[in-house]
Amino acid sequence: MEPSKQISLTGRRSQKSRLKSALDGSRGYMAMDHIAGERGAQSVGKRYLAEVLAEALEAVKRKNAVLMANPSAVCNGHLHHHHQKQNNLLKSGICKKNGITKGIKKNGISNGTLYKKKFVEHFEQAPMYVAVFTFLGFGVGTIFGYLRDFMRAWGLEKRNVATEREQQKDFVPLYQDFENFYTRNLYMRIRDNWNRPICSVPGPQFDLMERVTDDYNWTFRFTGRIIKNVINMGSYNYLGFAETDVNALKTVTIELQKYGTGICSTRQEMGTLDKHVELEKLVATFLGVEDAMVFGMGFATNSMNIPALVGKGCLILSDELNHTSLVLGARLSGATIRIFKHNNIQSLEKLLRDAIIYGQPRSRRAWRKIIILVEGIYSMEGSIVRLPEIVSLKKKYKAYLYLDEAHSIGAVGATGRGVVEYFGMSPDDVDVLMGTFTKSFGAAGGYIAGKKDLVDFLRTHSHSAVYATSMCPPVAEQIIRAMKCVMGLDGTTQGLQRVRQLGKNTRYFRRRLHEMGFIIYGNDDSPVVPLLLYMPGKIGAFARRMLEKNIGVVVVGFPATPITESRARFCVSAAHTREMLDTVLNALDELGDFLHLKYSRYSKSSHPELYEETRLELED
């Protein structure tokens, strides 16, 4: 095709795409306005479509007027200065489409106006030989697993797993041998690295009860020895409020003596006390929203409240790496669930656009609600949600946003108020704010915050409010104590110092690991630091040798992670001293050389290639 014809066709295509965008926008407006009723939504959508078409016709008239005034400026249907300006924008790394100027994102970094600070995340790809040896390790383990199953079947090896009784062999089997193959033959070999019993507060250091096994981790026995002062790199003690200071816990002790250990009632019956009301008002003030409601269990805050917000005829768009509590809540709701790639804005926008255009399957009716489920910090990847872009998409397509800040509240932001503050955004940009008190506040339970209408609705429809036991008063007092400290309401700046110290420790720990040559995942400001181990045999060796150096770590493998991405997950705390971190780093440096874990080549990330789009359309 000749260049001139190709440019002309491009101009026609752009006009068609703009008209299609207008139609898509009208559908999006109609699809999300179901509160006013379906007929009302259609009438509003028609008015919106008429306004968009009127603006489009007015723009065409203005363009024709410009062309008539200066015919020499036209070349193949386009203006000379428009071509020159577009080329200059592309050279400078900026793309303009549909009137919205956005920075080209390279390796996960956006240079546009949505981000007020540099946003850097690392997902470095391991060398090819690492993946080959990882699959080879699982292959060898599988072969030996089948051999051991054969020996068990013939009585050559003791069978420790549950089996069917001979009297019930004609019944439907309760245990599927193949389903437990991985547990029997791979997990059991390294089972001693999980569920280790501790006998102290999980602060920056803890005491560990020593245990040994005589049958390759099928059973354990305690030796009676206590391993003292193990450096804790695995607990979610971000701000260091897991402590035993008598003065700090004085108010908690008073509430324990006044109210007792628990409440044998639900919130809707006799389980709402003055401490719950005080805590909910404090949480709403801390987050800058109208109202909040607290629950006794963080997991149930997601799993029991999502079904109250959405149901049949609704659409849930969930990040592929969302926590199990979000996944369970979505499944229990009965809504249609669609998954988008982790932190991938293009994948999310495609699902939103398709949902608006095609509607529900079969009937093609508009969805009653479209809600996006994301987390603030992803606990297995250490990545931070790309909140500004997701909020822009949410506003563009009139969807709802549910933000789980279990790991981000208290851990990021200038004053510990989570990813909303981290990105300099307004809490009103998020429809449902969820968080837990387990990580940063050294307590238990969770909250949901937002508009007063939302919270009032949950007070009467939430399964947790109807059936679950209320949060016990001493736990509520611990949350109040910690939150007031972070807010500075205790008359000190200790809370703010903890938030800042956590940021310093996080950046120092991540920088040193990068310099040593380890592959670590996540955002530079995330206190969750995954260090990639890859090979299954190195999972057990890493955790055991670290414990020999008096360092407690958490190792994670398949099926909790992809089969080729086994890892150790470090959780940095404000209570960690520089000496503790240096001790851990020196041990990691030595162990990285011994186990050959320093795979980093400082190559470009494989994950952020998903974001290398220069045609992303977003609205402010």
Side-chain angles (χ1 to χ4, degrees):
M1 185 181 292
E2 297 178 5
S4 60
K5 294 182 179 179
Q6 187 175 4
I7 294 174
S8 299
L9 289 175
T10 303
R12 297 190 187 99
R13 291 187 188 123
S14 63
Q15 292 176 0
K16 292 180 180 179
S17 66
R18 284 193 293 270
L19 182 58
K20 185 176 182 298
S21 299
L23 292 173
D24 291 345
S26 67
R27 293 190 184 101
Y29 197 94
M30 288 188 289
M32 288 312 302
D33 200 11
H34 285 282
I35 297 178
E38 189 172 338
R39 293 182 179 178
Q42 292 176 354
S43 62
V44 172
K46 290 179 181 179
R47 292 197 301 270
Y48 178 76
L49 177 60
E51 294 175 0
V52 171
L53 292 177
E55 292 178 1
L57 290 175
E58 186 65 26
V60 171
K61 291 180 181 179
R62 289 197 298 268
K63 182 177 180 180
N64 291 336
V66 172
L67 297 180
M68 294 298 294
N70 189 9
S72 61
V74 182
C75 174
N76 294 325
H78 291 271
L79 298 178
H80 282 297
H81 75 273
H82 174 76
H83 280 296
Q84 185 176 1
K85 182 178 180 181
Q86 188 73 11
N87 290 335
N88 293 335
L89 287 173
L90 290 174
K91 289 179 180 179
S92 62
I94 300 176
C95 175
K96 186 173 183 180
K97 184 173 182 180
N98 290 345
I100 304 297
T101 302
K102 288 293 297 172
I104 296 178
K105 283 179 278 185
K106 188 74 172 176
N107 291 332
I109 301 174
S110 174
N111 297 318
T113 57
L114 287 179
Y115 290 89
K116 299 179 181 180
K117 60 187 297 185
K118 193 174 183 180
F119 188 81
V120 181
E121 290 190 339
H122 305 274
F123 292 96
E124 183 179 350
Q125 186 177 16
M128 180 61 68
Y129 77 88
V130 176
V132 172
F133 279 107
T134 300
F135 280 111
L136 184 62
F138 276 103
V140 172
T142 302
I143 292 173
F144 276 92
Y146 279 114
L147 178 60
R148 298 179 73 90
D149 279 354
F150 175 80
M151 295 172 65
R152 295 186 188 108
W154 286 90
L156 301 176
E157 182 179 331
K158 182 181 178 181
R159 184 188 293 267
N160 293 307
V161 294
T163 57
E164 297 289 345
R165 297 168 55 188
E166 288 294 329
Q167 297 87 338
Q168 297 176 333
K169 62 181 180 180
D170 295 331
F171 287 83
V172 177
L174 293 175
Y175 307 101
Q176 296 292 337
D177 287 342
F178 184 75
E179 292 179 0
N180 296 323
F181 178 85
Y182 177 84
T183 302
R184 290 194 309 270
N185 299 297
L186 282 82
Y187 169 73
M188 278 297 172
R189 311 300 291 183
I190 54 177
R191 182 180 169 221
D192 58 303
N193 298 293
W194 289 280
N195 303 319
R196 288 170 172 159
I198 66 173
C199 51
S200 67
V201 173
Q205 293 179 318
F206 60 80
D207 298 337
L208 191 66
M209 299 176 65
E210 186 181 54
R211 62 181 183 177
V212 295
T213 178
D214 301 316
D215 52 4
Y216 301 100
N217 297 330
W218 286 99
T219 61
F220 296 99
R221 61 181 175 85
F222 293 104
T223 64
R225 175 174 171 261
I226 304 297
I227 305 175
K228 294 284 188 178
N229 299 325
V230 178
I231 299 178
N232 183 7
M233 296 300 298
S235 294
Y236 301 132
N237 185 27
Y238 296 135
L239 296 182
F241 283 112
E243 55 193 357
T244 57
D245 183 20
V246 177
N247 295 326
L249 299 176
K250 186 175 181 179
T251 58
V252 179
T253 305
I254 294 174
E255 298 303 322
L256 178 62
Q257 295 173 350
K258 179 180 179 181
Y259 291 98
T261 56
I263 303 173
C264 301
S265 182
T266 65
R267 290 294 303 271
Q268 285 198 357
E269 294 176 342
M270 296 181 294
T272 299
L273 304 180
D274 55 344
K275 277 296 165 186
H276 299 128
V277 176
E278 179 185 356
L279 175 58
E280 288 172 349
K281 290 181 179 179
L282 185 65
V283 171
T285 304
F286 179 67
L287 298 175
V289 295
E290 294 179 3
D291 202 356
M293 184 176 182
V294 298
F295 305 89
M297 182 180 180
F299 190 99
T301 305
N302 278 331
S303 60
M304 294 291 101
N305 284 297
I306 292 176
L309 297 174
V310 292
K312 188 177 180 180
C314 300
L315 175 64
I316 294 176
L317 302 180
S318 178
D319 190 288
E320 64 179 348
L321 297 182
N322 273 343
H323 189 261
T324 308
S325 59
L326 289 169
V327 175
L328 179 60
R331 290 176 178 175
L332 291 176
S333 69
T336 301
I337 306 171
R338 292 176 184 167
I339 309 300
F340 62 91
K341 295 178 182 179
H342 174 55
N343 248 353
N344 191 326
I345 305 304
Q346 286 72 43
S347 176
L348 174 59
E349 183 172 24
K350 183 179 184 302
L351 291 179
L352 282 168
R353 188 184 297 272
D354 291 345
I356 299 300
I357 294 175
Y358 300 112
Q360 300 184 39
R362 297 183 181 178
S363 67
R364 300 303 179 190
R365 299 179 66 181
W367 295 99
R368 291 174 53 209
K369 296 176 187 175
I370 301 178
I371 187 168
I372 305 169
L373 301 184
V374 294
E375 294 185 48
I377 293 179
Y378 292 85
S379 60
M380 203 60 70
E381 304 296 315
S383 54
I384 295 180
V385 64
R386 309 180 74 87
L387 189 62
E389 294 164 90
I390 291 179
V391 168
S392 295
L393 286 181
K394 167 233 170 188
K395 293 180 178 179
K396 178 178 181 180
Y397 292 97
K398 307 300 185 292
Y400 297 97
L401 179 58
Y402 185 108
L403 176 61
D404 179 350
E405 291 215 72
H407 288 269
S408 55
I409 192 67
V412 294
T415 60
R417 284 168 169 80
V419 292
V420 176
E421 183 185 48
Y422 177 79
F423 289 109
M425 304 182 69
S426 170
D428 295 333
D429 293 331
V430 181
D431 299 287
V432 185
L433 284 165
M434 178 270 172
T436 64
F437 304 116
T438 318
K439 283 77 178 177
S440 294
F441 301 100
Y447 67 83
I448 284 185
K451 299 292 185 182
K452 191 175 188 308
D453 293 340
L454 167 71
V455 177
D456 288 343
F457 176 82
L458 290 177
R459 292 189 194 280
T460 56
H461 293 81
S462 170
H463 299 289
S464 293
V466 177
Y467 301 110
T469 305
S470 299
M471 177 186 294
C472 63
V475 173
E477 177 59 31
Q478 162 65 12
I479 302 169
I480 293 172
R481 179 189 75 85
M483 191 168 290
K484 284 184 176 180
C485 180
V486 175
M487 298 171 68
L489 298 180
D490 60 345
T492 69
T493 60
Q494 183 183 4
L496 185 59
Q497 291 174 3
R498 293 186 186 224
V499 175
R500 292 176 179 175
Q501 187 62 44
L502 174 62
K504 292 179 181 179
N505 289 349
T506 297
R507 288 185 287 272
Y508 174 74
F509 192 72
R510 282 182 168 273
R511 178 176 57 82
R512 287 289 306 277
L513 290 178
H514 272 299
E515 293 172 354
M516 292 178 185
F518 293 102
I519 293 180
I520 61 174
Y521 279 179
N523 192 283
D524 285 348
D525 294 322
S526 170
V528 179
V529 187
L531 186 151
L532 276 294
L533 304 176
Y534 296 106
M535 301 180 193
K538 295 184 178 182
I539 298 176
F542 181 86
R544 291 167 188 151
R545 287 190 171 270
M546 289 294 284
L547 184 58
E548 291 175 1
K549 298 177 181 294
N550 235 37
I551 300 171
V553 299
V554 172
V555 287
V556 191
F558 179 82
T561 66
I563 194 169
T564 60
E565 294 186 3
S566 300
R567 65 196 65 178
R569 183 183 62 181
F570 299 98
C571 294
V572 183
S573 171
H576 285 140
T577 63
R578 182 59 61 90
E579 290 75 20
M580 292 180 186
L581 295 179
D582 287 337
T583 301
V584 176
L585 290 167
N586 292 334
L588 287 173
D589 192 18
E590 179 183 344
L591 194 56
D593 293 331
F594 180 77
L595 294 178
H596 299 282
L597 299 174
K598 299 179 180 181
Y599 303 116
S600 179
R601 301 170 298 174
Y602 298 100
S603 60
K604 289 185 179 180
S605 165
S606 60
H607 289 222
E609 288 179 1
L610 300 171
Y611 310 125
E612 290 183 357
E613 282 280 347
T614 60
R615 299 177 61 187
L616 177 62
E617 302 176 27
L618 295 176
E619 292 182 355
D620 294 333

